[in-house]
Amino acid sequence: QVQLVESGGDLVQAGGSLRLSCAASGIIFSFYTMGWYRQAPGKQRELVAAISSGASTNYADSVKGRFTLSRDNAKNTLYLQMNSLKPEDTAVYYCNAQSRSGVKIYEYWGQGTQVTVSS
């Protein structure tokens, strides 16, 4: 059974920092591209940042220079360090795991963690 368990969401003032964690189980973590997505009220879910199995990262333009994504394959954990938070970063943040084997795609989601940034 695959589980992605997010933690670290909180209420923080603008300019503050948070660190999100995603603990994975039931998958070979190092094989997966891992990512954080977010969904604000009334908006579509969007990619925040992703890191490949080879540790290549990509970030949404809106978070570049403020957020840092990392993974610890020994701990099966994904991290998102969020600095200089803005009210527009307020959303539910979801952990995502993706892998492909031939034509089959494996994808899993966590339950989400709420991040609220007050102005």
Side-chain angles (χ1 to χ4, degrees):
Q1 181 183 0
V2 177
Q3 282 192 310
L4 301 177
V5 180
E6 302 102 332
S7 61
D10 206 344
L11 170 64
V12 64
Q13 287 190 330
S17 297
L18 284 175
R19 187 195 198 201
L20 304 184
S21 298
C22 170
S25 60
I27 60 172
I28 303 175
F29 183 78
S30 60
F31 285 8
Y32 280 72
T33 291
M34 299 296 299
W36 288 97
Y37 289 72
R38 66 186 181 188
Q39 187 166 19
K43 294 189 176 181
Q44 287 190 326
R45 192 174 294 190
E46 62 176 2
L47 175 68
V48 176
I51 183 167
S52 71
S53 57
S56 296
T57 55
N58 67 286
Y59 295 89
D61 288 343
S62 59
V63 306
K64 282 181 181 176
R66 299 189 297 123
F67 291 10
T68 303
L69 183 65
S70 61
R71 64 190 299 162
D72 185 334
N73 289 339
K75 295 183 178 180
N76 289 355
T77 303
L78 178 72
Y79 303 100
L80 184 67
Q81 179 66 43
M82 305 188 295
N83 298 328
S84 302
L85 282 161
K86 304 176 181 180
E88 50 264 44
D89 295 317
T90 295
V92 178
Y93 283 69
Y94 297 92
C95 180
N96 174 270
Q98 295 183 22
S99 183
R100 173 174 288 177
S101 177
V103 299
K104 189 168 184 179
I105 297 174
Y106 299 86
E107 184 172 33
Y108 305 99
W109 291 93
Q111 297 282 8
T113 186
Q114 177 70 48
V115 172
T116 303
V117 184
S118 63
S119 57

